[in-house]
């Protein structure tokens, strides 16, 4: 059986860091759970850095001790060759501290054991030694954060050993429990047909339920026959998202995030790598699992349900404020969805008439809008992708600008 290892976490004694960038959820668990969201004063815009020296790798050595200080290598010294990643990225992370991380420790130990013995029964019986928490170490409140008492639920899935579909069941139950709204940020949203049908049934049953999805305009999945054979097709995502939109167009919003470079006017997609779903501002599911067949049936994944109104609401609002570039704290969910719709419509009209954008939101439904933005954004093929990583983008754009200027000049001046 094909097994994909998809967990994205780092285990440091009793700490777990899962995911990357954007949101810091500091969770302390002992007899109860404390969560703090670090409030950053300003969201960093998705901007490309100025290219640095190409093909001039610096010498990299191990971390060394010099005169009592540790020398650490950062930035270009870590990736001397492929150090210019030319893509705009959006992601979410969660930080866990305390005895709850024992579940992650157990999962790592079982994965390590299974890699050598391939005996699922022995792996399921594996137990960790007794662990004494460091109660004398105080929990440090991060700067500009808010701490709340709450509870979490850790869900893990491993088809070969655990033989369950925990995560698919969890997503379905969260959707069925929704009363007012669902906010989804996912890399491969509703790729799974079962999850899509559950969402359609919920929209048909509850006429007050609203669904807002933020996802990549175009993913890295194959399409056509290759995608269908591998069961990881981009076509399935597009089809299922249109099914959701057609179920209740007035209550479903599907959007991608773009950014236009100020000088070249090139429009680039912000790749949504998040795996997040907020339901009614009461529960939030975050982790490594996508909403695709690979994550639900073949991959080993870990997710966390966070049950706390203030934490879930603040997370949703901060993400929406970043996408809309405006304050959304005192605005209801229907009004926020209207802002998404208005911003996307203005972007479409401006792009059609004057070729510029006023915001970052672009609608991916109805289908005509999705096709339009896919043709408009600068999304490189695999070869150009590698050239972008090497920092060739500015040279390519400069060559195109010179070529365009040469075409616009009269022949007498050439």
């Amino acid at each position: 059986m094909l097994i994909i290892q998809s967990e994205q976490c780092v285990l440091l004694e009793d700490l777990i860091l899962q995911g990357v960038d954007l949101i810091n959820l500091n969770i302390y668990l002992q007899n109860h759970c404390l969560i703090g969201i670090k409030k950053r004063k300003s969201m960093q815009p998705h901007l490309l850095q100025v290219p640095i020296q190409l093909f001039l790798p610096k010498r990299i050595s191990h971390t060394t001790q010099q005169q009592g200080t540790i020398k650490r290598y950062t930035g270009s010294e870590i990736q001397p060759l492929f150090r210019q990643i030319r893509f705009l990225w959006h992601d979410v992370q969660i930080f866990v501290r305390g005895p709850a991380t024992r579940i992650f420790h157990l999962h790592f130990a079982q994965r390590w054991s299974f890699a050598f013995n391939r005996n699922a029964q022995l792996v399921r019986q594996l137990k960790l030694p007794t662990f004494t928490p460091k109660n004398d170490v105080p929990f440090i409140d991060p700067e500009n954060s808010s701490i709340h008492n709450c509870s979490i639920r850790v869900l893990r899935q491993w088809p070969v050993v655990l033989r369950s579909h925990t995560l698919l069941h969890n997503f379905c139950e969260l959707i069925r429990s929704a009363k007012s709204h669902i906010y989804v940020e996912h890399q491969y949203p509703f790729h799974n047909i079962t999850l899509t049908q559950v969402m359609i049934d919920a929209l048909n049953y509850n006429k007050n339920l609203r669904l807002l999805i933020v996802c990549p305009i175009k993913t890295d999945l194959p399409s056509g026959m290759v995608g269908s054979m591998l069961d990881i097709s981009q076509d399935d995502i597009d089809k299922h998202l249109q099914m959701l939109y057609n179920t209740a167009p007035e209550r479903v919003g599907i959007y991608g995030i773009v950014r236009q470079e100020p000088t070249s006017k090139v429009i680039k997609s912000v790749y949504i790598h998040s795996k997040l779903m907020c339901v009614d501002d009461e529960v939030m599911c975050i982790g490594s699992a996508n909403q695709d067949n690979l994550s639900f049936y073949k991959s080993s994944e870990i997710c966390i349900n966070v049950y706390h109104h203030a934490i879930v609401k603040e997370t949703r609002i901060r993400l929406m404020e970043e996408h809309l570039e405006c304050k959304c704290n005192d605005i209801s969910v229907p009004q926020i969805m209207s802002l998404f719709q208005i911003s996307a419509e203005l972007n479409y009209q401006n792009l059609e008439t004057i070729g510029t954008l006023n915001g970052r939101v672009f609608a991916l439904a109805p289908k005509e809008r999705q096709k339009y933005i896919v043709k408009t954004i600068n999304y490189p093929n695999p070869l150009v992708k590698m050239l972008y990583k090497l920092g060739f983008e500015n040279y390519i754009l400069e060559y195109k600008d010179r070529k365009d200027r040469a075409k616009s000049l009269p022949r007498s001046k050439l």
Side-chain angles (χ1 to χ4, degrees):
M1 178 182 288
L2 174 66
I3 307 174
I4 308 297
Q5 303 177 7
S6 300
E7 301 92 330
Q8 305 163 7
C9 58
V10 177
L11 177 64
L12 302 174
E13 294 184 355
D14 62 339
L15 301 178
I16 281 291
L17 181 64
Q18 189 175 44
V20 288
D21 212 9
L22 193 60
I23 290 185
N24 296 321
L25 291 177
N26 297 287
I27 305 179
Y28 173 70
L29 295 104
Q30 194 169 4
N31 297 325
H32 57 280
C33 176
L34 299 176
I35 296 185
I37 296 183
K38 186 175 181 182
K39 300 177 181 178
R40 299 194 310 188
K41 294 182 179 179
S42 61
M43 292 291 183
Q44 295 182 357
H46 294 95
L47 292 174
L48 293 177
Q49 299 177 353
V50 178
I52 53 182
Q53 294 176 332
L54 298 174
F55 307 114
L56 295 176
K58 299 179 182 179
R59 182 180 178 183
I60 301 180
S61 61
H62 296 287
T63 302
T64 58
Q65 187 87 14
Q66 295 180 354
Q67 298 180 353
T69 60
I70 298 178
K71 182 179 179 181
R72 300 186 182 279
Y73 294 90
T74 60
S76 61
E77 294 175 325
I78 294 177
Q79 285 185 306
L81 184 60
F82 294 96
R83 57 179 175 266
Q84 275 304 303
I85 306 299
R86 310 302 297 167
F87 298 99
L88 308 179
W89 202 262
H90 173 88
D91 215 333
V92 178
Q93 77 171 15
I94 186 168
F95 178 84
V96 182
R97 177 181 179 177
T101 57
R102 295 281 286 170
I103 301 176
F104 297 89
H105 190 181
L106 175 63
H107 188 72
F108 174 81
Q110 289 177 330
R111 292 297 305 269
W112 185 269
S113 175
F114 186 76
F116 293 95
N117 59 37
R118 295 290 172 179
N119 190 321
Q121 184 175 358
L122 289 178
V123 170
R124 283 194 294 269
Q125 297 173 356
L126 182 64
K127 296 182 180 180
L128 294 177
T130 304
F131 173 77
T132 304
K134 301 177 181 179
N135 296 326
D136 57 329
V137 180
F139 176 69
I140 301 175
D141 183 3
E143 184 182 359
N144 298 324
S145 65
S146 55
I147 305 299
H148 305 274
N149 293 322
C150 75
S151 59
I152 67 171
R153 179 188 178 193
V154 180
L155 304 112
R156 62 192 188 112
Q157 179 172 294
W158 190 1
V160 174
V161 175
L162 302 180
R163 296 179 181 176
S164 64
H165 302 303
T166 306
L167 296 179
L168 176 59
H169 177 74
N170 180 64
F171 278 118
C172 292
E173 289 302 311
L174 289 178
I175 291 173
R176 293 190 183 106
S177 68
K179 297 178 181 178
S180 63
H181 67 270
I182 298 176
Y183 176 67
V184 176
E185 270 194 20
H186 261 270
Q187 181 183 10
Y188 308 137
F190 294 97
H191 176 273
N192 178 266
I193 185 60
T194 301
L195 191 66
T196 305
Q197 192 59 53
V198 170
M199 188 71 248
I200 291 175
D201 293 343
L203 289 169
N204 288 328
Y205 176 76
N206 185 355
K207 300 301 181 181
N208 296 319
L209 182 61
R210 299 177 183 273
L211 172 64
L212 180 60
I213 302 173
V214 177
C215 61
I217 292 176
K218 183 180 179 182
T219 70
D220 53 359
L221 297 180
S223 57
M225 185 179 296
V226 176
S228 299
M229 291 176 60
L230 299 176
D231 197 19
I232 51 173
S233 177
Q234 172 70 48
D235 299 334
D236 291 337
I237 297 177
D238 296 340
K239 177 183 176 182
H240 296 167
L241 291 181
Q242 295 303 321
M243 288 170 59
L244 292 173
Y245 178 79
N246 294 333
T247 301
E250 70 284 355
R251 293 183 285 122
V252 176
I254 306 169
Y255 301 94
I257 308 300
V258 297
R259 187 171 187 90
Q260 189 171 37
E261 295 301 311
T263 54
S264 64
K265 302 301 180 183
V266 172
I267 299 174
K268 294 189 175 182
S269 171
V270 177
Y271 194 85
I272 305 298
H273 193 255
S274 313
K275 287 88 175 175
L276 171 78
M277 185 166 75
C278 301
V279 178
D280 292 340
D281 288 344
E282 296 296 338
V283 58
M284 172 178 65
C285 181
I286 178 174
S288 66
N290 290 299
Q291 294 181 343
D292 62 346
N293 295 334
L294 195 63
S295 291
F296 289 152
Y297 302 123
K298 297 179 182 179
S299 301
S300 59
E301 309 279 1
I302 292 182
C303 287
I304 297 176
N305 283 357
V306 179
Y307 300 91
H308 195 277
H309 173 74
I311 291 295
V312 179
K313 183 178 180 179
E314 187 174 350
T315 303
R316 175 185 61 80
I317 289 176
R318 288 179 57 200
L319 290 170
M320 290 180 171
E321 286 180 348
E322 179 182 343
H323 300 324
L324 291 172
E325 298 180 301
C326 68
K327 292 295 182 180
C328 302
N329 193 28
D330 299 325
I331 305 177
S332 65
V333 172
Q335 291 174 328
I336 291 178
M337 293 189 67
S338 297
L339 287 178
F340 269 88
Q341 185 178 2
I342 293 171
S343 178
E345 185 63 27
L346 288 176
N347 276 333
Y348 174 73
Q349 293 178 2
N350 290 339
L351 199 57
E352 282 270 87
T353 55
I354 58 179
T356 59
L357 297 175
N358 287 336
R360 295 151 44 96
V361 177
F362 210 97
L364 301 182
K367 192 173 183 178
E368 294 73 21
R369 295 292 176 88
Q370 191 257 351
K371 289 183 177 180
Y372 175 82
I373 192 60
V374 167
K375 293 180 180 179
T376 305
I377 61 172
N378 189 336
Y379 195 90
N381 58 44
L383 176 60
V384 178
K385 221 172 175 181
M386 185 176 69
L387 294 178
Y388 275 26
K389 290 184 178 181
L390 292 173
F392 274 98
E393 179 193 19
N394 281 6
Y395 297 100
I396 296 173
L397 294 176
E398 185 180 352
Y399 171 76
K400 289 182 178 179
D401 290 340
R402 288 202 306 266
K403 195 172 181 181
D404 293 339
R405 286 197 300 269
K407 288 182 180 180
S408 63
L409 290 174
R411 290 186 176 273
S412 58
K413 295 184 179 182
L414 293 176

